[in-house]
Amino acid sequence: MTFVAPATASNPLLEIKNMSVDYYAANGTVHALTDVSITLERGQILGLAGESGSGKSTLAYAITRLLRPPAEITGGQLLYFPRPRDGENSGRLRGSSRANARVTSSGMHTENVEPAEGVDILEFSPAELREFRWDELSIVFQSAMNALNPVLNIGTQITDVLRTHRPEMGADARRKRAIDLLRLVGIAPDRIKSYPHQLSGGMRQRAIIAIALALTPELIIMDEPTTALDVVVQREILREIMQLRHRLNFSVIFITHDLSLLLEIADKIAIMYAGRIVETATRTELHQQPRHPYSYGLLNSFPTLHGPRRRMTGIPGSPPDLRDIPPGCAFHPRCPFAFEPCNTVLPVLCTSTPETPGQQVACHLYDQRFNSEGLPTNADFAKKYESAYETGQGTRKAV
Amino acid sequence: MLVPTTTPSTTMLRLRDTWRLVTLNRKVSFGLAILAFFVLLAIFGPMFFPGDPNAFSPDILQPPSTAHWLGTTQTGQDVLTQLLWGTRFSLIMGFAIGISTMIISVIIGLVAGYFGGLIDEVLSLFTNVFLVLPTLPLAILLAAFAAYRGPLTIAIVLIVTGWSWGARVLRAQTLSMRNRDYVDAAKASGENSLHIIFFEILPNEISIVAAELLGTVIYVILAETGLEFLGLGDITSTSWGTMLYWAGNNDALMLGAWWWFLPPGLCIALLGAGLAFINFGIDEIANPRLRTEPKPKLAKRNKNREVAA
Amino acid sequence: MRHLLRRIGFYLVALWVSVTLNFLIPHLSPGNPAQALMSRLKGKVSPQAQHALEISLGVNHDPLWSQYLQYINNLLHGNLGVSITYLPTPVSQVIGQDLPWTLVLVGVALVISFVVGTVLGIIVVWWRGSFSDVVFTPFFTFLSAIPYFWLALVLLYILGSQLNWFPIHGGYDTDNTVPGFNLDFILSAAQYAILPAITIVIGSIAAWMLGMRNAMVTTLSEDYVMMAEAKGLPSWRVMFTYGARNAILPNITAFALSLGFVVSGSLLTEIVFSYPGIGFAILQAVDNLDYALLQGIFLVITVAVLGANFLADLLYVVLDPRVRIGRS
């Protein structure tokens, strides 16, 4: 590597700035994503977690510009920082075509220079977008069964990417590359002529990963890539992804509702609720001390493989109707800590405590103006949630 | 409201929702308007033109005029009067036969889908066979061998040849419904199968039944007209089909009497289109993906939307 | 292969049902009108033909099962009875003369309407939301509800009778050409076939167009189409190889299932144009109470429709690997 980033220096790949997405429906506008900002560092795994409807998938589709009407990006920027073309020795398969015409060409051959300027994905023309897609950013869809075209064989679904993005490759070269890719993800080369329905669920997901890797993109978005699989296969695929990432050094945005999974693999984790990010932290920070009551609740709605045994209480209530998001903090109706300002004042993301400057939380508990008492600990969270749980049980019995 | 009530009942809510959807979907409203138009014609038309539609008059083969708005036939019958009586006849036939056909479709489709196994195999085979048999030649054969020609024969013929499509659709739907929770619950509580089929499952398929019914009515009206056009109906009655039969047999075309054969066909096409619009509208309500949403008001990023779309 | 064998089995059953219906309808109809006819026929045909006709028209007094067996036996020998309209020509010969006209006309028109309708369905979805959905879809909905024979009447009136662009009667120029394999005849037949063909195309195209539109809309919201888009493929490839290629499968099934309807409409069209095909034979058979001819026609059309269904099956098998190759 010619450029070594210091531990603290920022080397962003993707900066999401104030993204908002609405869905227009006949019975009201759904605010799927509201004012979301987060930065993905080059080479990192960013985890997005939240219940269904929290906006994590919407964010993924917004980044890929795949949202269709009635979904509508109503604001924000998606700054993408492309890697200088020839400056790296990472052995990437780089074609001549690049989407980002706007990168200052002065930086191309100089070492140690970050791209000075990001390009806004939202400003791409259709042609620029087509070139950007898959070359820089690919996506692994949630359901392998539905993401593969049932009438094309696996090989064709790999080679049609190559044919479009690497027109200089001949048919033999494409075929060879397809076989290499299949091998890379652990599929026998003779499967190249297989159709999706001939493959098992795990194999299909591997095939999709192979397609995602076809152009060795900078960034792969993985939308619940293992949810539809059984636990053993899930683990295998996950291990595969981590190994491949180690080898090919791409960045990942990993979307899941399983927070404990992210604690194992992600560098940075963002917790989403009702279309907003409520907490961002490194996995160690989050593992040691989640700050947002919702993060704690989410963390404890899944059994962890390691760590102390906790009582599973779950989060009372259900996610809000996104057409009618509660005022103030959207989580307040379900929050066992909710106090006066929560239903009027909107909390913003800011550093929770000076000890962990990277850990940001949008919660009034950490706002000196509202809460002068000490910060809540895991034990406090556990106690509050348990009493909320018992009250809930009690009322249920009474009814 | 004077009586203090809590919340409106779920039936009321459902009715209100349905009404809202019906009026919200332009296709449904448009189709209903056309259907309403023909229903009004059928009810009130003959009242305003009470004469015998088949009465001869000396005004032979007149083009449209103030005396005869749609002209006259070769034997001096008033085309408008015939058309209005024909509307009544064709509408009654269409819906009566359509509903009877649908009853058979519902029974066969639901029974096959619910019981599965051998019953399903046999009934599905039966359904599919009737689906591939060419309907009109079969209908002609049936009608030709019938000793009596008239509405009843046509009804029987069309029911025999028309039930299979609806049965096939309903069977597929029932197949996907029979393992739903509420069906399991009903089974577990010991309800008998017929009760489950017709009181638990059928109400949940009512939108499909409605859509299929409309499709069947279109089929019935088209096929009935076809049979009558061939002279296999009761040629002394007045319907859109027999009007076309007489127009064809008397060379209306060669005589240039466009006012004679144009109106009945236009009526069939209009009514059929109206029913088809309602049908497509119901499809859109059931499958929102088919809908074209009204364009949301433009947000600031104009360019992006075009691309994202 | 197993799939195709199953289908062939199904067609055999369908064929058997139609043969049996053909036999049963005259036997079960109360006051069989063929009875009177037979007495008129006595002495005009050979006793053997008379016997066969009695069986197929249901006026024989042998036990039912024995009649049924004799009927099947007659069928197997290609004996469909004698046509009363063209006495004493056998029904099979009458049909043999008329069938080619219908096969060519309806076959060509059907293929054209299916292909054009399907392409239109794709185009309408491609331009979705704009002009196409506001104008095209309602227009085709209206078109789908027009009876074929009325459309035939209108076209015949405007394009044939008023504008004189097309011949209005028959299948070829009977005065100046000799039927056979010569250019004059073929050109003349083509000229005479245009208007009926246009009628059938217009009458049936809306169904394929609307069916394809709905299938396309449903398919385009599938994940694999979204993934193709995310792959940065050219939009025509997303549209055709990922969208249309999948959407056409249900449309082929619908095509096969509605063949019977379309053929029925086409027969009525032939009648309006006095086209020398099966449809016209039906009209004559109805007018002349030629029951044997009607039965023969029903049987032949059934065989033709089943054959077309089988072709659609074959096409489906070629297009869908899930049917072509089972799981491995």
Side-chain angles (χ1 to χ4, degrees):
Chain A
M1 295 280 279
T2 50
F3 170 71
V4 179
T8 50
S10 168
N11 180 13
L13 176 66
L14 181 70
E15 225 180 293
I16 301 166
K17 279 187 170 172
N18 312 99
M19 282 296 292
S20 294
V21 173
D22 286 348
Y23 287 84
Y24 295 94
N27 46 1
T29 304
V30 176
H31 304 287
L33 216 56
T34 316
D35 199 21
V36 167
S37 300
I38 192 164
T39 304
L40 168 66
E41 303 288 330
R42 200 177 292 278
Q44 281 199 336
I45 296 184
L46 168 66
L48 293 178
E51 291 165 299
S52 40
S54 61
K56 47 196 200 309
S57 289
T58 303
L59 183 57
Y61 292 128
I63 296 170
T64 49
R65 293 270 305 271
L66 284 172
L67 290 175
R68 299 177 184 176
E72 171 83 31
I73 295 173
T74 52
Q77 272 188 310
L78 286 172
L79 295 182
Y80 179 75
F81 298 88
R83 191 186 289 249
R85 199 194 298 168
D86 303 311
E88 296 294 334
N89 59 354
S90 56
R92 294 182 153 274
L93 256 177
R94 275 273 172 251
S96 53
S97 58
R98 290 294 294 261
N100 34 79
R102 266 185 257 175
V103 181
T104 47
S105 57
S106 60
M108 285 292 187
H109 293 279
T110 24
E111 295 182 343
N112 218 359
V113 173
E114 277 178 59
E117 196 191 338
V119 283
D120 189 349
I121 296 176
L122 297 181
E123 300 289 346
F124 282 160
S125 72
E128 284 174 329
L129 187 65
R130 269 201 300 277
E131 285 190 41
F132 170 78
R133 282 174 170 168
W134 230 251
D135 221 338
E136 303 284 337
L137 163 66
S138 63
I139 176 164
V140 172
F141 283 87
Q142 178 166 5
S143 159
M145 185 68 228
N146 302 333
L148 290 172
N149 187 342
V151 299
L152 293 185
N153 64 39
I154 302 300
T156 312
Q157 300 195 46
I158 299 177
T159 51
D160 67 355
V161 179
L162 299 172
R163 198 205 297 256
T164 306
H165 292 269
R166 303 278 182 272
E168 73 280 1
M169 275 174 106
D172 283 345
R174 287 199 297 261
R175 199 185 130 79
K176 202 175 154 295
R177 174 81 179 130
I179 289 176
D180 287 346
L181 283 164
L182 288 181
R183 257 202 212 107
L184 195 65
V185 297
I187 299 180
D190 61 340
R191 285 297 200 165
I192 191 165
K193 286 256 179 266
S194 291
Y195 288 93
H197 73 279
Q198 296 173 288
L199 304 176
S200 67
M203 287 249 259
R204 265 182 237 138
Q205 198 55 278
R206 284 165 193 269
I208 290 199
I209 293 170
I211 298 174
L213 292 170
L215 305 174
T216 48
E218 285 280 345
L219 170 59
I220 302 182
I221 293 179
M222 302 197 173
D223 183 11
E224 312 237 10
T226 58
T227 310
L229 305 171
D230 69 69
V231 185
V232 180
V233 183
Q234 249 182 40
R235 286 276 139 195
E236 271 174 34
I237 299 273
L238 218 53
R239 200 178 313 125
E240 195 81 49
I241 293 173
M242 297 315 284
Q243 281 169 3
L244 287 167
R245 200 187 72 89
H246 195 71
R247 203 158 3 145
L248 301 170
N249 197 31
F250 48 84
S251 311
V252 177
I253 294 180
F254 198 102
I255 297 166
T256 178
H257 57 271
D258 184 350
L259 190 50
S260 60
L261 187 72
L262 290 182
L263 288 180
E264 293 177 47
I265 61 167
D267 297 300
K268 185 172 173 182
I269 295 169
I271 313 276
M272 299 192 64
Y273 186 78
R276 288 176 187 270
I277 293 179
V278 295
E279 180 165 1
T280 64
T282 63
R283 60 173 166 165
T284 25
E285 285 164 352
L286 198 67
H287 184 59
Q288 274 162 10
Q289 180 59 67
R291 297 293 180 188
H292 200 284
Y294 177 66
S295 309
Y296 178 87
L298 201 60
L299 204 52
N300 288 280
S301 20
F302 287 92
T304 42
L305 293 178
H306 347 279
R309 284 169 65 97
R310 300 192 194 95
R311 180 161 172 191
M312 307 253 307
T313 51
I315 307 169
S318 52
D321 181 354
L322 292 175
R323 280 179 300 229
D324 186 20
I325 298 174
C329 172
F331 187 58
H332 83 258
R334 301 170 69 188
C335 182
F337 288 86
F339 60 115
E340 213 222 296
C342 291
N343 56 14
T344 48
V345 184
L346 180 72
V348 289
L349 268 184
C350 48
T351 304
S352 52
T353 75
E355 299 104 73
T356 52
Q359 190 169 18
Q360 297 198 308
V361 60
C363 179
H364 293 318
L365 287 174
Y366 303 90
D367 191 327
Q368 301 273 316
R369 285 175 301 164
F370 300 122
N371 184 12
S372 48
E373 293 167 35
L375 304 179
T377 62
N378 275 336
D380 297 332
F381 280 134
K383 218 169 79 190
K384 280 276 193 182
Y385 263 110
E386 258 171 51
S387 67
Y389 177 74
E390 264 143 32
T391 327
Q393 292 288 82
T395 42
R396 217 165 292 146
K397 262 173 216 151
V399 172
Chain B
M1 250 187 268
L2 293 172
V3 188
T5 49
T6 48
T7 46
S9 72
T10 46
T11 336
M12 279 309 292
L13 280 176
R14 199 174 293 166
L15 275 177
R16 213 173 56 195
D17 274 2
T18 316
W19 173 247
R20 213 168 54 88
L21 280 170
V22 162
T23 46
L24 204 74
N25 189 298
R26 271 182 310 180
K27 290 201 175 106
V28 175
S29 336
F30 184 59
L32 281 175
I34 294 179
L35 180 60
F37 171 73
F38 278 104
V39 170
L40 290 178
L41 273 194
I43 297 175
F44 298 109
M47 292 185 188
F48 290 103
F49 294 84
D52 175 5
N54 290 328
F56 299 154
S57 79
D59 304 337
I60 285 166
L61 221 54
Q62 297 287 310
S65 63
T66 43
H68 303 281
W69 292 358
L70 287 178
T72 57
T73 71
Q74 208 180 22
T75 45
Q77 296 148 323
D78 184 64
V79 174
L80 182 61
T81 314
Q82 287 202 325
L83 193 70
L84 292 173
W85 286 86
T87 306
R88 180 180 278 185
F89 184 84
S90 293
L91 265 189
I92 293 176
M93 285 288 275
F95 277 91
I97 301 175
I99 290 170
S100 324
T101 310
M102 211 53 221
I103 291 174
I104 299 194
S105 302
V106 165
I107 293 173
I108 293 189
L110 265 69
V111 166
Y114 178 79
F115 287 106
L118 189 65
I119 295 179
D120 180 31
E121 287 282 332
V122 173
L123 287 178
S124 292
L125 182 68
F126 197 51
T127 311
N128 286 330
V129 166
F130 268 84
L131 212 49
V132 290
L133 292 185
T135 37
L136 188 79
L138 178 58
I140 291 173
L141 200 62
L142 282 167
F145 273 103
Y148 144 86
R149 283 189 183 172
L152 193 65
T153 309
I154 289 196
I156 293 171
V157 165
L158 293 184
I159 290 172
V160 169
T161 53
W163 59 272
S164 50
W165 188 274
R168 180 186 152 95
V169 174
L170 286 169
R171 171 195 167 262
Q173 184 64 22
T174 310
L175 213 55
S176 74
M177 285 232 172
R178 70 169 178 189
N179 292 325
R180 298 272 171 91
D181 289 346
Y182 70 91
V183 179
D184 284 341
K187 266 187 220 167
S189 67
E191 287 286 3
N192 79 49
S193 302
L194 287 180
H195 186 92
I196 296 176
I197 292 175
F198 293 107
F199 293 92
E200 304 285 344
I201 297 181
L202 183 57
N204 284 292
E205 294 180 352
I206 218 69
S207 71
I208 297 174
V209 174
E212 288 307 314
L213 174 64
L214 294 172
T216 309
V217 171
I218 299 176
Y219 160 75
V220 166
I221 291 179
L222 285 176
E224 178 212 330
T225 325
L227 288 178
E228 286 171 347
F229 177 67
L230 279 176
L232 287 168
D234 174 10
I235 48 176
T236 57
S237 69
T238 306
S239 73
W240 292 339
T242 45
M243 283 177 79
L244 287 168
Y245 169 77
W246 286 116
N249 267 21
N250 289 312
D251 284 328
L253 207 68
M254 297 304 121
L255 298 167
W258 50 268
W259 58 86
W260 192 355
F261 65 87
L262 228 45
L266 266 184
C267 284
I268 296 168
L270 257 180
L271 175 61
L275 295 171
F277 271 113
I278 303 176
N279 209 344
F280 292 146
I282 295 179
D283 266 359
E284 285 184 3
I285 292 168
N287 180 2
R289 289 190 290 193
L290 296 178
R291 228 176 291 165
T292 14
E293 290 281 336
K295 285 227 163 181
K297 59 181 187 314
L298 289 184
K300 56 173 184 174
R301 285 182 182 277
N302 243 326
K303 203 174 111 199
N304 300 325
R305 187 221 324 278
E306 282 167 31
V307 182
Chain C
M1 263 300 76
R2 258 198 71 211
H3 171 77
L4 279 184
L5 286 178
R6 259 184 78 104
R7 294 303 294 170
I8 292 173
F10 166 74
Y11 292 129
L12 288 178
V13 172
L15 191 62
W16 172 75
V17 169
S18 74
V19 165
T20 307
L21 275 176
N22 227 340
F23 172 77
L24 281 180
I25 289 171
H27 283 89
L28 295 185
S29 66
N32 186 346
Q35 196 105 42
L37 193 91
M38 285 311 297
S39 47
R40 273 201 284 139
L41 211 64
K42 255 195 177 98
K44 291 184 184 168
V45 292
S46 70
Q48 205 190 346
Q50 166 109 17
H51 183 70
L53 214 52
E54 277 176 8
I55 288 173
S56 80
L57 297 184
V59 290
N60 192 280
H61 297 290
D62 289 352
L64 205 60
W65 61 267
S66 127
Q67 287 191 48
Y68 185 58
L69 290 182
Q70 292 178 61
Y71 173 72
I72 301 262
N73 186 38
N74 282 341
L75 276 189
L76 288 177
H77 290 90
N79 183 0
L80 297 171
V82 179
S83 161
I84 292 159
T85 322
Y86 305 95
L87 211 65
T89 321
V91 165
S92 50
Q93 200 178 327
V94 176
I95 292 177
Q97 273 167 10
D98 296 340
L99 193 61
W101 292 95
T102 298
L103 279 184
V104 173
L105 173 69
V106 178
V108 171
L110 257 184
V111 170
I112 292 176
S113 85
F114 182 72
V115 171
V116 176
T118 304
V119 171
L120 275 179
I122 300 172
I123 291 175
V124 164
V125 173
W126 196 325
W127 292 337
R128 197 156 178 236
S130 56
F131 171 79
S132 66
D133 245 22
V134 182
V135 178
F136 264 89
T137 318
F139 175 71
F140 278 92
T141 307
F142 179 72
L143 217 54
S144 71
I146 296 180
Y148 285 60
F149 61 93
W150 182 74
L151 190 65
L153 283 171
V154 173
L155 289 179
L156 192 60
Y157 177 68
I158 299 172
L159 300 180
S161 165
Q162 295 294 307
L163 296 172
N164 247 325
W165 288 358
F166 297 98
I168 55 173
H169 184 96
Y172 64 99
D173 187 347
T174 42
D175 298 336
N176 303 313
T177 57
V178 188
F181 197 75
N182 59 71
L183 194 64
D184 269 357
F185 170 71
I186 293 173
L187 283 179
S188 166
Q191 193 196 2
Y192 275 75
I194 290 177
L195 210 46
I198 290 178
T199 308
I200 299 171
V201 169
I202 297 181
S204 56
I205 200 168
W208 322 132
M209 179 269 177
L210 295 171
M212 190 62 186
R213 172 190 175 269
N214 283 4
M216 269 304 268
V217 170
T218 312
T219 307
L220 287 186
S221 59
E222 295 284 346
D223 276 359
Y224 53 77
V225 175
M226 213 195 280
M227 177 149 160
E229 214 177 303
K231 277 154 106 178
L233 301 182
S235 45
W236 60 266
R237 187 163 169 90
V238 176
M239 212 63 182
F240 283 95
T241 317
Y242 286 77
R245 183 73 170 65
N246 282 288
I248 201 165
L249 296 176
N251 218 31
I252 290 177
T253 311
F255 175 78
L257 289 177
S258 23
L259 266 176
F261 293 96
V262 181
V263 168
S264 303
S266 308
L267 296 180
L268 289 171
T269 306
E270 285 187 358
I271 292 174
V272 172
F273 286 100
S274 313
Y275 201 76
I278 294 286
F280 200 56
I282 289 186
L283 185 65
Q284 284 171 317
V286 170
D287 284 350
N288 295 313
L289 303 178
D290 192 343
Y291 297 103
L293 187 54
L294 276 184
Q295 285 179 308
I297 288 173
F298 171 62
L299 214 54
V300 167
I301 295 175
T302 306
V303 172
V305 167
L306 293 183
N309 256 279
F310 185 62
L311 288 182
D313 275 344
L314 286 180
L315 183 63
Y316 196 98
V317 168
V318 169
L319 288 178
D320 192 346
R322 283 163 294 189
V323 181
R324 191 169 65 235
I325 342 170
R327 286 163 188 284
S328 57

